[in-house]
Amino acid sequence: MTLFKAYIKGTGSFFPAKKLTNKDLEKLVDTNDQWIKERTGISSRSIAADNETTSDLAYQASLQAIKSANIKKTDIDFIILATATPDYPMPNTACLVQHKLGIQNCPALDMSAACSGFVYALSVANQFIQTGTYKNILVIGAEVLHNFVNYTDRNTCILFGDGAGATILSRNEQCDDSVNNSINDRGIASHHLGADGSQSDLLEVPAGGSAQVITPEILKNHGHCVVMKGKELFKEAVLSMSQRCTEALEKNNLTNKDIDWVIPHQANTRIINAVAKQLDVPLEKVINEIKNMGNTSAATVPMALDIAVKDGRIKKGHWVLLVAFGSGLTSGSVLLKY
Ligand SMILES: CC(C)(COP(=O)(O)OP(=O)(O)OC[C@H]1O[C@@H](n2cnc3c(N)ncnc32)[C@H](O)[C@@H]1OP(=O)(O)O)[C@@H](O)C(=O)NCCC(=O)NCCS
């Protein structure tokens, strides 16, 4: 069976206009700009307006991705949207994006793998392209997290922001599964996914699902908000992201020296730097856009990718290693030739 290659044909991102700076947070909790910058690398985050939903952010990022891929909206065969903060329990947010795009002719699916969601979604989309089922898939990571952040908890409220990133993953018509080193060989080389449900309590939103419905009491006690064991997560993040990267390199007989760019989940600059150290990749080759983004969960990787494509760092033919980690504990990497 011929396996087609799936490559990233277009990218887009969207940051809501409203900003929440470290100085703003100083007024809410006992923290300070210097501590936040030193411990996380974050200076400010975008926060969606009251009337802006996850699908609104996803729609804006998608328009950019469609434009940069130079395809028509009706060329989209499938929409996969990764999020932990859907507009509603149902319908799924991907269907709402489809409607906003004004198209009706494609299936639309949400994926829930927390901060690893986009990497998971890209891996699933890759299968549909490889097998020849679809030609163009809109893959999105989008979040409006601030509604699930407790702005009296200084451990978590300093970290998270809102945003969306989108890609068009397309069939590379120029090549099949025979590997060569030409630029026509653009596409996903492999993906590596993992999860460890036994450690789910390290990062969770306890209420709002079937285990715990939201009551006035729960709302009052912020039970619908993110709770986190930061120190333990930090270690697991470094460990699992390093592992997923090593698996990708080994699978493709590449070394750290072959990689042009690593795009890690933007959770904390110290986590990003520790992963780079484990891989022995210089920081100049690591995309770190957390300063003005914060942790936008499933959106960080496609947002950082879009920024680095638009500013010209990532060029056609570069080896790019995407890697993420999140609640679950999920993790995943995608190695691709951009
Ligand atoms: C949350 C995180 C930034 C905290 O950094 P840390 O270096 O582990 O800090 P600690 O929790 O050890 O706290 C150190 C001190 O700073 C204090 N502190 C915690 N948050 C603070 C804040 N926002 N402002 C000021 N001081 C703070 C602590 O109370 C502690 O004080 P103490 O030494 O007097 O007890 C870090 O653990 C982290 O990023 N973890 C991973 C989180 C993550 O990535 N989550 C999402 C995964 S997808």
Side-chain angles (χ1 to χ4, degrees):
M1 179 187 175
T2 299
L3 285 183
F4 294 97
K5 205 145 206 162
Y7 77 110
I8 292 185
K9 193 172 187 179
T11 63
S13 60
F14 182 74
F15 291 78
K18 190 174 152 193
K19 307 292 171 211
L20 181 69
T21 64
N22 293 350
K23 289 276 172 209
D24 295 329
L25 286 165
E26 284 179 6
K27 294 175 200 142
L28 300 175
V29 288
D30 179 15
T31 190
N32 60 78
D33 178 49
Q34 193 190 349
W35 191 98
I36 301 172
K37 277 190 199 147
E38 280 175 12
R39 300 288 175 124
T40 71
I42 302 168
S43 293
S44 82
R45 317 113 193 96
S46 292
I47 300 291
D50 289 347
N51 61 352
E52 263 179 331
T53 65
T54 297
S55 67
D56 291 329
L57 274 48
Y59 168 66
Q60 293 297 338
S62 300
L63 287 180
Q64 287 182 25
I66 292 164
K67 193 172 174 203
S68 85
N70 199 19
I71 62 167
K72 297 193 290 292
K73 291 175 192 170
T74 48
D75 292 331
I76 295 167
D77 299 312
F78 190 18
I79 301 173
I80 310 182
L81 186 148
T83 189
T85 55
D87 287 18
Y88 308 104
M90 62 177 163
N92 73 42
T93 308
C95 288
L96 302 174
V97 173
Q98 186 216 46
H99 181 58
K100 285 177 183 171
L101 288 172
I103 54 176
Q104 288 176 332
N105 60 328
C106 67
L109 167 77
D110 278 11
M111 289 198 67
S112 169
C115 302
S116 310
F118 177 79
V119 170
Y120 266 65
L122 206 58
S123 306
V124 170
N126 183 44
Q127 309 292 316
F128 281 99
I129 302 238
Q130 276 192 312
T131 52
T133 310
Y134 296 131
K135 279 192 178 176
N136 297 299
I137 304 183
L138 172 59
V139 188
I140 311 164
E143 305 280 5
V144 173
L145 277 163
H146 81 270
N147 290 329
F148 305 94
V149 171
N150 176 357
Y151 287 99
T152 65
D153 174 14
R154 69 177 183 173
N155 290 311
T156 53
C157 72
I158 56 164
L159 296 174
F160 298 103
D162 301 335
T167 55
I168 299 290
L169 192 72
S170 295
R171 181 195 294 180
N172 186 342
E173 305 283 1
Q174 318 246 5
C175 67
D176 53 25
D177 58 347
S178 59
V179 175
N180 62 57
N181 287 323
S182 79
I183 206 155
N184 290 340
D185 191 33
R186 292 176 71 194
I188 292 179
S190 66
H191 43 77
H192 306 269
L193 305 177
D196 177 5
S198 71
Q199 301 204 75
S200 298
D201 64 328
L202 294 190
L203 181 60
E204 60 183 349
V205 174
S210 63
Q212 181 69 73
V213 294
I214 293 184
T215 62
E217 189 65 14
I218 280 178
L219 269 183
K220 202 173 121 217
N221 296 323
H222 307 283
H224 64 297
C225 294
V226 175
V227 285
M228 182 183 86
K229 295 180 180 152
K231 267 198 184 314
E232 290 92 328
L233 259 186
F234 193 111
K235 286 181 209 144
E236 292 298 328
V238 177
L239 194 68
S240 63
M241 285 202 282
S242 305
Q243 267 173 0
R244 297 293 90 80
C245 289
T246 304
E247 286 161 14
L249 294 177
E250 283 176 4
K251 167 87 180 170
N252 295 284
N253 292 320
L254 296 175
T255 72
N256 50 356
K257 307 242 175 333
D258 296 311
I259 299 301
D260 296 294
W261 299 104
V262 181
I263 308 184
H265 171 45
Q266 317 275 298
N268 181 323
T269 285
R270 289 188 297 135
I271 293 177
I272 293 173
N273 292 353
V275 172
K277 197 173 171 197
Q278 287 285 318
L279 297 175
D280 195 17
V281 169
L283 290 180
E284 298 73 54
K285 289 182 164 196
V286 179
I287 308 290
N288 182 346
E289 293 298 324
I290 199 170
K291 185 171 176 223
N292 296 312
M293 189 195 290
N295 181 345
T296 57
S297 191
T300 69
V301 170
M303 289 171 86
L305 170 69
D306 181 55
I307 291 169
V309 166
K310 280 194 179 136
D311 68 22
R313 274 176 289 175
I314 296 181
K315 296 187 176 19
K316 284 178 187 171
H318 278 174
W319 277 114
V320 179
L321 182 52
L322 312 178
V323 63
F325 161 88
S327 172
L329 299 178
T330 57
S331 59
S333 66
V334 171
L335 179 64
L336 60 92
K337 194 177 261 193
Y338 182 74

